[in-house]
Amino acid sequence: MESDALFSLGEPTGSRSAPDGPAGVDGFTAVADDSPLPVRMRPVTLDELVGQEHLLAPGAPLRQLVSGGAPMSVILWGPPGSGKTTIAHLVAGATDRRFVAMSALSAGVKDVRAVIETARRQRRSGGPQTVLFIDEVHRFSKTQQDSLLAAVEDRTVTLLAATTENPYFSVISPLLSRCVLLTLQPLDDEAVRGLLRRAVTDKRGLDGALALTAEAEDHLVRLAAGDVRKALTALEAAAASATALGGGRIDLATAEQAVDVAAVRYDRDGDAHYDVVSAFIKSMRGSDVDAAVHWLARMLVAGEDARFIARRLVIFASEDVGMADPTALSVATAAAHAVEYVGLPEAQLNLAQAVIHLATAPKSNSATTAIGAAIADVRAGRGGPVPRGLRDAHYAGARGLGHGTGYRYPHDDQRGVVTQQYVPDDLVGTDYYQPSPHGAERSVAGRLPLLRRIVRGLPASAARPTPASEPSVTAQNAPALSPGVARPTTDTGAPGMMQDSGTEAAGEGQQ
């Protein structure tokens, strides 16, 4: 059975490293000399707990929970290895309450009701209060969670539950409303590093028998990715390898061999970070999907912040794909949302899908060049007053100032486009957007000259095809202004018979 803990759940046997209160502890396996290193190194006092400083201030809920100062039911929510079950162990050893631990992986309604009935009898007879710890509570069904409600409501038991899943989705609302929710954060690199060093020197750990080199320590910290249990497990494996080889220290080669994971040369604050990210972006831009996936994997294995990767994808979707595949931005933003909503490791699937989509999509930087040229003109001082017809005419007196005078409402025209000046006087005739001939943007390139000719009131002979468009675009052969919208039947742009043109560029988005 897997448990998000620095110790295991099971039938109590033998002696325990932490003192049990008079009421005892039911459900925790004792710590022995041959217990795994993460079990031996678990904190025995709250002061040994590393991380979660936001919950450890004097009077904070976590301190009250451990000290028994307030009989509140609590749900601990956090990633694996952040200390949820360790906190439960501290609660078990710090007070005289009866403590019962169970895992939702193996317990059922019958087990829960048996604990509640025993707690009720003890309470009636003046016995100690019962704290019920449930690990992986999100694995309980709705019926199983319902069985806790009455006992938590009248404090027959004080519930302490742990979950790696978002409790707003995995815990029923009535139970969530009866508990205080404490959110645990992943341990940062320095916290993991400090725990590794403690394990190397502490008598409960390696007791100074082996030295840990700086390179091996960095590798274990990166490998852990905020999970201290993972870091200590890897340290124990590396220590066993070093001892078998007869060495007195754990170096990088020993650590790599012990955990069968090569050290990734990647410094999140140094040159390697920027080099890998640069290679990642350029691979997607160059449509080398295999290289892009490799650099994505390199960053994920090295512990790069997934949110940083997601942000780069959102930027890339508009900077390098843009109008050639307008769906790229939706894919990238959905992946960014998935990173926040799901989190790693599962979100790596969402990131991979987005990277593959962006790398294989047709490319266009037309949006990048358009906004760049427009900003350059604004900074150079180009751009006069807003044309009178476009000014706000909704407030009293605006009409008297001439605001809105001459404005033509495009929807009054069958084409949905009218001749009208939208730019300041000194920018008339300026073209910022130059569509590419790639993917979905090909249809935009075909109809843009017609749009500009109508808006600017130019004769057909004066139309200037965009660099990516076909020459001699007329009202008769131009693609529809938008899918399903009719095009005019005369070259002059006058309203004509309405025809359903459909989408002439259907299926071009991936060409």
Side-chain angles (χ1 to χ4, degrees), residues 360-380:
T360 57
K363 305 298 189 295
S364 171
N365 70 342
S366 59
T368 302
T369 56
I371 188 61
I375 288 176
D377 275 354
V378 171
R379 288 176 174 170

Side-chain angles (χ1 to χ4, degrees), residues 174 202 231 250 305 323 328 472 475:
D202 196 289
I250 303 171
D305 187 348
M323 291 295 293
S472 302

Side-chain angles (χ1 to χ4, degrees), residues 34-284:
D34 60 350
S35 294
L37 182 60
V39 175
R40 304 199 308 271
M41 288 303 303
R42 69 175 182 245
V44 294
T45 66
L46 192 60
D47 292 334
E48 287 188 0
L49 189 66
V50 175
Q52 318 310 333
E53 286 78 7
H54 63 295
L55 301 177
L56 293 174
L62 184 54
R63 286 196 175 273
Q64 295 184 49
L65 173 67
V66 173
S67 65
M72 65 180 78
S73 291
V74 172
I75 295 176
L76 300 172
W77 173 32
S82 57
K84 299 183 295 298
T85 322
T86 296
I87 292 172
H89 192 279
L90 294 176
V91 173
T95 69
D96 59 357
R97 294 169 291 186
R98 176 174 176 264
F99 193 97
V100 180
M102 61 176 59
S103 172
L105 292 171
S106 56
V109 173
K110 180 180 179 180
D111 303 299
V112 171
R113 288 175 176 168
V115 172
I116 292 174
E117 184 58 33
T118 301
R120 185 173 286 112
R121 289 198 305 268
Q122 290 190 345
R123 186 178 183 184
R124 290 171 179 170
S125 62
Q129 186 182 22
T130 298
V131 176
L132 172 59
F133 172 64
I134 300 178
D135 198 15
E136 307 283 354
V137 69
H138 59 272
R139 296 184 181 274
F140 263 176
S141 67
K142 183 179 183 298
T143 300
Q144 291 171 311
Q145 294 184 35
D146 281 337
S147 67
L148 294 164
L149 293 178
V152 172
E153 176 75 26
D154 63 14
R155 288 185 175 171
T156 299
V157 298
T158 298
L159 177 66
L160 177 58
T163 178
T164 57
E165 302 290 336
N166 188 329
Y168 291 104
F169 298 100
S170 60
V171 177
I172 60 175
S173 298
L175 182 58
L176 192 60
S177 68
R178 289 164 170 79
C179 301
V180 175
L181 177 63
L182 300 183
T183 304
L184 279 65
Q185 303 297 330
L187 273 66
D188 59 29
D189 287 353
E190 290 309 307
V192 175
R193 191 182 307 277
L195 289 170
L196 285 172
R197 292 176 179 176
R198 179 192 296 177
V200 169
T201 58
D202 196 289
K203 64 180 181 179
R204 295 174 296 174
L206 306 185
D207 197 16
L210 296 170
L212 181 65
T213 67
E215 294 80 5
E217 181 182 274
D218 289 341
H219 178 46
L220 295 179
V221 170
R222 283 193 298 266
L223 185 68
D227 186 337
V228 65
R229 181 174 63 253
K230 186 175 182 179
L232 294 175
T233 299
L235 174 63
E236 184 175 31
S241 296
T243 301
L245 295 172
R249 66 173 189 164
I250 303 171
D251 57 18
L252 179 58
T254 304
E256 288 179 311
Q257 182 179 8
V259 297
D260 195 26
V261 176
V264 180
R265 273 64 179 181
Y266 186 93
D267 181 357
R268 276 183 280 176
D269 298 317
D271 290 341
H273 163 81
Y274 296 105
D275 289 344
V276 170
V277 171
S278 177
F280 175 58
I281 297 299
K282 290 172 181 173
S283 297
M284 288 193 295

Side-chain angles (χ1 to χ4, degrees), residues 395-420:
Y395 60 92
R399 292 290 180 180
L401 297 174
H403 292 191
T405 301
Y407 175 69
R408 300 182 64 191
Y409 190 53
H411 296 290
D412 288 340
D413 191 289
Q414 287 182 323
R415 302 165 301 179
V417 184
V418 297
T419 298
Q420 188 159 240

Side-chain angles (χ1 to χ4, degrees), residues 453-477:
R453 177 165 61 80
I454 296 175
V455 169
R456 296 172 184 178
L458 301 175
S461 60
R464 294 180 298 168
T466 61
S469 67
E470 296 293 333
S472 302
V473 177
T474 65
Q476 282 86 359
N477 62 20

